[in-house]
Amino acid sequence: MREVRVFAPATVANVAVGFDILGFAINRPGDEIVARLNDSFSGVRIVVITGTGDKVLPTEVEKNTAGMAALRLLQHLGEEGRGIELEIHKKMPFGSGLGSSAASAAGATVAVNELLGAPLTRESLLYFTVLGEEVADGSFHADNVAPCLVGGITLIRSNDSLDVHHLPVPTNLHVAVVHPEIEILTRDARAVLSDTVLLKTAIQQMGSLASFITALYTNDLPLLGRSLRDHIIEPQRKKLIPGFDQVQAVALQRGALGCSISGAGPSIFALCDSGYLAQAVGQGMQAVFQDSGIESQVYVSPINQRGVEIIEVID
Amino acid sequence: MREVRVFAPATVANVAVGFDILGFAINRPGDEIVARLNDSFSGVRIVVITGTGDKVLPTEVEKNTAGMAALRLLQHLGEEGRGIELEIHKKMPFGSGLGSSAASAAGATVAVNELLGAPLTRESLLYFTVLGEEVADGSFHADNVAPCLVGGITLIRSNDSLDVHHLPVPTNLHVAVVHPEIEILTRDARAVLSDTVLLKTAIQQMGSLASFITALYTNDLPLLGRSLRDHIIEPQRKKLIPGFDQVQAVALQRGALGCSISGAGPSIFALCDSGYLAQAVGQGMQAVFQDSGIESQVYVSPINQRGVEIIEVID
């Protein structure tokens, strides 16, 4: 029975200046997804889920992000007659702001596509992957899915039309991500946000966003540092993360270019101009949480340029 | 008596997606400013103003954008002991949305700087020019002044710190600008704007803005076209311009990449991928105004890459 195993990386969405439109992939953590042909049935079945700790992920295909993504892809390809077993090995926490549900969905579409002889390009898998992730929080958005699938830093002009663009990655850019062991549900993180924003605040944020894009294209890390300010979302969401201000202050004191909330939180990312600095920044951020009695994990990585990786194919 | 004559071009600010942060220069129209040394007095004097039609510009230095810009520059250089005569030849309408006051201020600082042996770079003149333009509408902003001074398409990350960046100009990009003979005062154009914007609308606009910057760097004119949508300002301001919807529709029907309000209006700009097309688009837009009995002028131009030009120096 042909079998494909893939690794789907964690992602940092929003990136301080691009709420719902920017994201990038990191090297670790990530989920592993296995897809296996089994012609004794037709459709998708989830046969194994590991790594969920004390939580439970639905094994019903239509309620599972990986299952739904695989099913929609199978239907699109007209291959509903095939039987596909899925194994989902969670290797990152849910509700962490690291794109856990996006990783499972992206891993599933890449694995199933490869299993069937790779009829679609990586970019063409985006739509089905977003349909899968939609199961998790009910909203159709690609800011985690796109960088997870294809790697790098991605811009989504429009989630409706999935108009996605690769942005250049400045030399030496590294990221430290700290995941404190507290949970924020995406719906709670959305609930604290005001429906409106002051026009003058939106203008500040737009100046920062446009400069951030410019800094990526011109490899101008000082400008990138000046641009990484979230005027809109961070001030509203940081109250959900105990000690956020101190963590951010330490990151900037140690030389990070910028530091903000990863996705809906509680993870916090800091962009740095070297791996060495990112290590020091990550340790500093972790120490702040530790002083408050909050356990955390630190991940230091360059920007992941590969996206979902095929680890093993067994024919 | 040494004398310098300069041409200061009109500018299109906001550019649909970059309210208060984006602007570009065009080749025509523009103001001419003459600065002349006259050591029979000290300070700045405005000796001639032409081209104001039935309107009056203040000749008092502190109340005139060109006068104030020249004075602030002179003070910065410690040259208040010198006497400088200014001539201001207005060659574009006020309240047109084409950066008329910015052009006079930029022309004045470049002319005075050149008159005194060019001690400052063009970029260093920005601050004094913005101080001059501030006289006109009371707000400190560089979105017209920056492209007028240095040409091209400019991004202002922050008006407070005047963090200004040159953006690349795609090959063949041309603009048609139509100025209908109705007047909108900047303060009225500001007054129709709500202080707040819906978060979801701000996100749409940010997607468009980030894609616009990306399109400039990648020379991707189709993306530039998809990005040129103003979700925030145009819907509120277009009611001040009779026939705006029809003018915009004709521009897009004729093949413009995008069309929106220039600055605070009433001028309307359309970006096009050739000079030929920009001509046809400009004529089409003018015809719509004509059908409503509104006279208008059309200007077709590539993006002006030179900014203020020194036309003549007499020693």
Side-chain angles (χ1 to χ4, degrees):
Chain A
M1 292 193 299
R2 183 172 161 86
E3 176 182 308
V4 175
R5 177 182 293 262
V6 304
F7 171 81
T11 46
V12 171
N14 299 350
V15 197
V17 293
F19 183 64
D20 276 2
I21 64 170
L22 287 176
F24 62 78
I26 59 180
N27 283 348
R28 272 193 337 122
D31 289 347
E32 282 185 28
I33 305 286
V34 176
R36 190 181 304 111
L37 280 179
N38 182 341
D39 283 334
S40 70
F41 65 92
S42 61
V44 175
R45 285 188 190 169
I46 297 168
V47 295
V48 174
I49 300 180
T50 67
T52 56
D54 54 358
K55 303 204 189 120
V56 177
L57 274 189
T59 53
E60 198 180 323
V61 170
E62 283 84 356
K63 292 185 176 166
N64 181 294
T65 58
M68 184 61 122
L71 182 64
R72 290 290 184 234
L73 174 59
L74 210 62
Q75 290 168 339
H76 169 76
L77 294 172
E79 298 269 19
E80 305 98 313
R82 309 299 294 267
I84 292 180
E85 295 178 358
L86 282 185
E87 295 180 11
I88 302 168
H89 302 285
K90 297 300 296 180
K91 290 168 188 286
M92 65 172 127
F94 314 157
S96 59
L98 292 172
S100 170
S101 57
S104 291
T109 54
V110 172
V112 169
N113 188 54
E114 186 67 22
L115 195 65
L116 299 174
L120 296 188
T121 64
R122 195 63 72 95
E123 285 73 15
S124 304
L125 296 176
L126 183 62
Y127 175 66
F128 311 103
T129 312
V130 176
L131 282 179
E133 204 212 350
E134 195 181 10
V135 171
D137 70 357
S139 84
F140 189 87
H141 62 99
D143 51 344
N144 287 104
V145 163
C148 180
L149 263 181
V150 298
I153 306 176
T154 55
L155 162 67
I156 293 123
R157 181 185 64 81
S158 157
N159 278 296
D160 293 337
S161 59
L162 292 183
D163 192 358
V164 172
H165 302 273
H166 261 278
L167 301 176
V169 177
T171 322
N172 293 331
L173 195 64
H174 281 69
V175 59
V177 177
V178 178
H179 169 243
E181 292 188 357
I182 54 176
E183 189 174 343
I184 298 179
L185 294 176
T186 301
R187 62 173 174 270
D188 295 341
R190 292 256 163 192
V192 300
L193 298 181
S194 169
D195 287 343
T196 61
V197 53
L198 286 175
L199 178 60
K200 68 176 185 180
T201 306
I203 294 166
Q204 284 183 303
Q205 186 91 338
M206 287 190 224
S208 296
L209 170 63
S211 300
F212 177 81
I213 306 288
T214 298
L216 294 182
Y217 276 100
T218 56
N219 206 17
D220 183 341
L221 291 183
L223 176 60
L224 190 142
R226 295 200 298 282
S227 304
L228 271 174
R229 299 277 187 288
D230 183 352
H231 304 275
I232 298 178
I233 305 299
E234 180 187 298
Q236 301 181 73
R237 277 195 176 158
K238 67 181 184 179
K239 68 191 81 148
L240 299 174
I241 306 170
F244 175 83
D245 284 338
Q246 298 95 297
V247 171
Q248 186 184 54
V250 164
L252 297 175
Q253 276 160 21
R254 292 202 171 191
L257 296 163
C259 172
S260 190
I261 302 167
S262 175
S267 291
I268 300 174
F269 77 96
L271 285 169
C272 301
D273 65 5
S274 77
Y276 176 80
L277 187 62
Q279 281 285 357
V281 165
Q283 285 161 10
M285 296 197 293
Q286 184 172 46
V288 176
F289 280 123
Q290 201 152 28
D291 288 348
S292 313
I294 298 173
E295 290 297 307
S296 66
Q297 294 83 45
V298 181
Y299 305 98
V300 173
S301 167
I303 305 296
N304 174 334
Q305 298 272 24
R306 298 179 302 276
V308 178
E309 284 181 85
I310 295 163
I311 302 172
E312 192 176 31
V313 178
I314 301 175
D315 278 305
Chain B
M1 292 194 300
R2 182 173 163 86
E3 176 181 308
V4 175
R5 177 182 292 263
V6 304
F7 170 81
T11 44
V12 171
N14 299 348
V15 197
V17 293
F19 183 63
D20 276 2
I21 63 172
L22 287 175
F24 62 78
I26 59 180
N27 283 348
R28 268 192 341 119
D31 289 347
E32 282 186 28
I33 305 287
V34 177
R36 190 182 303 110
L37 279 177
N38 182 340
D39 284 334
S40 70
F41 64 93
S42 62
V44 176
R45 284 186 190 170
I46 296 167
V47 295
V48 175
I49 301 180
T50 67
T52 57
D54 54 0
K55 309 219 181 100
V56 177
L57 274 189
T59 54
E60 197 181 323
V61 169
E62 283 84 356
K63 293 184 177 167
N64 182 294
T65 59
M68 184 59 121
L71 181 64
R72 290 291 183 233
L73 174 59
L74 209 62
Q75 290 169 338
H76 169 77
L77 294 172
E79 297 271 17
E80 306 97 313
R82 310 298 294 267
I84 292 180
E85 296 179 356
L86 281 184
E87 297 180 10
I88 301 167
H89 303 285
K90 298 300 295 180
K91 293 172 188 283
M92 64 171 129
F94 315 156
S96 60
L98 292 172
S100 170
S101 56
S104 290
T109 55
V110 172
V112 169
N113 187 55
E114 186 68 22
L115 195 65
L116 298 174
L120 296 189
T121 63
R122 194 64 71 94
E123 284 74 14
S124 304
L125 297 175
L126 182 63
Y127 175 66
F128 311 102
T129 312
V130 175
L131 282 178
E133 205 213 349
E134 195 181 10
V135 171
D137 68 358
S139 83
F140 187 88
H141 62 99
D143 51 343
N144 288 104
V145 163
C148 180
L149 263 181
V150 298
I153 306 175
T154 55
L155 162 68
I156 294 121
R157 181 185 65 80
S158 157
N159 278 296
D160 293 337
S161 58
L162 292 183
D163 191 358
V164 173
H165 302 273
H166 264 277
L167 300 177
V169 177
T171 323
N172 293 331
L173 195 65
H174 280 69
V175 60
V177 177
V178 179
H179 170 242
E181 291 188 359
I182 55 176
E183 189 174 343
I184 297 179
L185 294 176
T186 301
R187 62 172 173 271
D188 295 340
R190 293 254 165 195
V192 299
L193 297 182
S194 169
D195 288 342
T196 60
V197 53
L198 286 174
L199 178 60
K200 70 176 186 180
T201 306
I203 294 167
Q204 283 183 304
Q205 186 90 338
M206 287 190 224
S208 297
L209 169 63
S211 301
F212 177 80
I213 306 289
T214 298
L216 295 182
Y217 275 99
T218 56
N219 206 18
D220 183 342
L221 292 183
L223 176 60
L224 191 142
R226 295 198 299 282
S227 304
L228 271 173
R229 298 277 185 290
D230 183 353
H231 303 275
I232 298 178
I233 305 300
E234 179 188 299
Q236 300 180 74
R237 277 195 175 157
K238 66 181 186 180
K239 66 191 81 150
L240 299 174
I241 307 169
F244 175 83
D245 285 337
Q246 297 95 300
V247 171
Q248 184 185 53
V250 163
L252 297 176
Q253 275 160 22
R254 291 200 173 192
L257 295 163
C259 171
S260 190
I261 302 167
S262 175
S267 292
I268 300 173
F269 77 96
L271 285 170
C272 303
D273 64 5
S274 78
Y276 176 82
L277 187 62
Q279 283 285 357
V281 165
Q283 286 163 8
M285 296 196 294
Q286 185 172 44
V288 176
F289 280 122
Q290 202 152 27
D291 287 348
S292 313
I294 299 173
E295 289 298 305
S296 66
Q297 295 83 44
V298 181
Y299 305 97
V300 172
S301 168
I303 305 297
N304 175 332
Q305 298 272 24
R306 299 177 303 276
V308 177
E309 284 181 85
I310 296 162
I311 302 171
E312 193 177 32
V313 179
I314 301 174
D315 277 305

